[in-house]
Amino acid sequence: MAHDGEDQREFPRTTQPRFADIDVSTPTTARIYDWMLHGKDNFEADRQAGRAFLEVAPQLRPIAHDNRAWLARVVTCMSTEMGIDQFLDIGSGLPTAENTHQIAQRANPDARVVYVDNDPVVLAHGRAILADNANTTVTTADILDPKAVTDSPDTRRLIDFSRPVGVLLIALTHCLKDEPDPGGLIGQVVDALPSGSYVAYSHIVSTDAEAAEQLTGTVLQATHGRWGRVRRPEEAVAYIERHGLEPVSPGFVDIRTWRTDDPDVPEEPIWEIGGLARKP
């Protein structure tokens, strides 16, 4: 939680929600995800929702851990192979082990990272964790307003949009409803990026219509309608591919197989696809 003596230049309080404003009775995807990862920054409502999700789709907990491992690989790839040294992590969720800034700054200590999430708990805990890291900050904004994300004072303070940026849209788009168009929102973010930028993207998917409908209904009920839906793989990929981005090998695939040293292809159905693409 924030303290009165924190650096006002790092986290201007006048534009951010207060911890007292947090609704602990309504689950949020950020806090449910934290619970899936065995984190501690969640409330009973989030834990109840998480348990309900696992009753419908017990594979969601392994998927959460697979997603975190993929985050580490894709940030390392952008840092070491593409030379990206500034990152905008949209829908970042709560801080946990192996955060984006830790991975990026391991490759380049001067790397800059801005975390963006619409959950005020993320802001509160991010303030405390990142208070001593001048190259990393957290801001509260929503992908539903892409301009607020890219034009946030905290974003502009650390991200130089005249140079390539690494944008993370990881496990975010399935949280969005069909209207407004998730692909259009992504496009507005892409439009703000200079040539040579990269976008890392993943989405929960299913080729089983019944399973997708069941999981979608469970999450919508638990979050009081604050979610999107599980989509077909081709739907999810279309949201990112339509913007003229150049996919990086191996393209948009099962996140468990993306640039991994593990030669064994999982036998279980694909539940999350992801990949990396470059803006030409």
Side-chain angles (χ1 to χ4, degrees):
M1 186 177 296
H3 297 283
D4 291 339
E6 68 184 272
D7 188 342
Q8 298 294 317
R9 295 170 299 174
E10 291 292 323
F11 307 104
R13 293 175 129 180
T14 55
T15 60
Q16 305 292 7
R18 296 166 297 151
F19 193 79
D21 295 331
I22 296 168
D23 177 8
V24 301
S25 64
T26 301
T28 70
T29 52
R31 301 197 303 260
I32 295 169
Y33 182 61
D34 176 70
W35 178 81
M36 290 283 185
L37 292 172
H38 302 288
K40 299 179 180 179
D41 298 318
N42 50 76
F43 301 107
E44 181 57 30
D46 307 303
R47 295 187 283 273
Q48 290 180 2
R51 287 189 286 268
F53 296 169
L54 295 183
E55 289 181 4
V56 175
Q59 62 271 50
L60 281 180
R61 178 159 264 160
I63 288 170
H65 288 273
D66 290 336
N67 184 74
R68 203 68 189 177
W70 181 69
L71 166 69
R73 295 199 302 277
V74 78
V75 172
T76 298
C77 176
M78 283 191 279
S79 298
T80 60
E81 296 185 31
M82 287 71 179
I84 298 297
D85 62 0
Q86 49 180 0
F87 296 85
L88 186 59
D89 190 344
I90 304 175
S92 59
L94 285 154
T96 185
E98 287 295 271
N99 297 288
T100 299
H101 74 281
Q102 293 168 316
I103 301 161
Q105 290 171 0
R106 188 178 303 133
N108 179 355
D110 295 325
R112 297 185 171 197
V113 176
V114 175
Y115 292 104
V116 182
D117 203 282
N118 64 1
D119 188 336
V121 173
V122 174
L123 174 70
H125 288 273
R127 281 178 172 175
I129 291 173
L130 303 175
D132 296 328
N133 191 321
N135 285 339
T136 307
T137 192
V138 59
T139 188
T140 298
D142 198 310
I143 186 65
L144 294 176
D145 186 355
K147 189 173 179 61
V149 172
T150 57
D151 289 358
S152 161
D154 282 318
T155 300
R156 291 288 172 171
R157 179 169 59 84
L158 288 184
I159 303 296
D160 177 1
F161 283 94
S162 70
R163 299 191 301 107
V165 180
V167 172
L168 306 179
L169 300 171
I170 295 179
L172 171 65
T173 320
H174 51 248
C175 299
L176 304 178
K177 298 184 181 300
D178 292 341
E179 188 61 42
D181 172 29
L185 297 173
I186 291 173
Q188 292 182 57
V189 174
V190 171
D191 288 344
L193 303 176
S195 175
S197 294
Y198 287 83
V199 179
Y201 169 84
S202 72
H203 193 298
I204 289 180
V205 298
S206 179
T207 57
D208 184 331
E210 184 178 349
E213 183 178 359
Q214 185 179 22
L215 179 57
T216 296
T218 300
V219 179
L220 284 171
Q221 181 178 11
T223 60
H224 300 185
R226 300 174 185 175
W227 207 62
R229 64 183 175 93
V230 179
R231 295 181 172 92
R232 300 187 308 275
E234 59 271 23
E235 284 184 285
V237 173
Y239 286 146
I240 191 75
E241 286 187 335
R242 76 193 222 194
H243 303 297
L245 301 173
E246 301 170 344
V248 172
S249 179
F252 293 94
V253 298
D254 184 336
I255 61 168
R256 297 170 295 181
T257 67
W258 194 91
R259 295 203 174 197
T260 178
D261 295 329
D262 187 352
D264 296 326
V265 177
E267 295 181 359
E268 297 83 1
I270 298 172
W271 271 94
E272 186 171 358
I273 58 171
L276 182 64
R278 180 183 183 274
K279 182 174 180 179

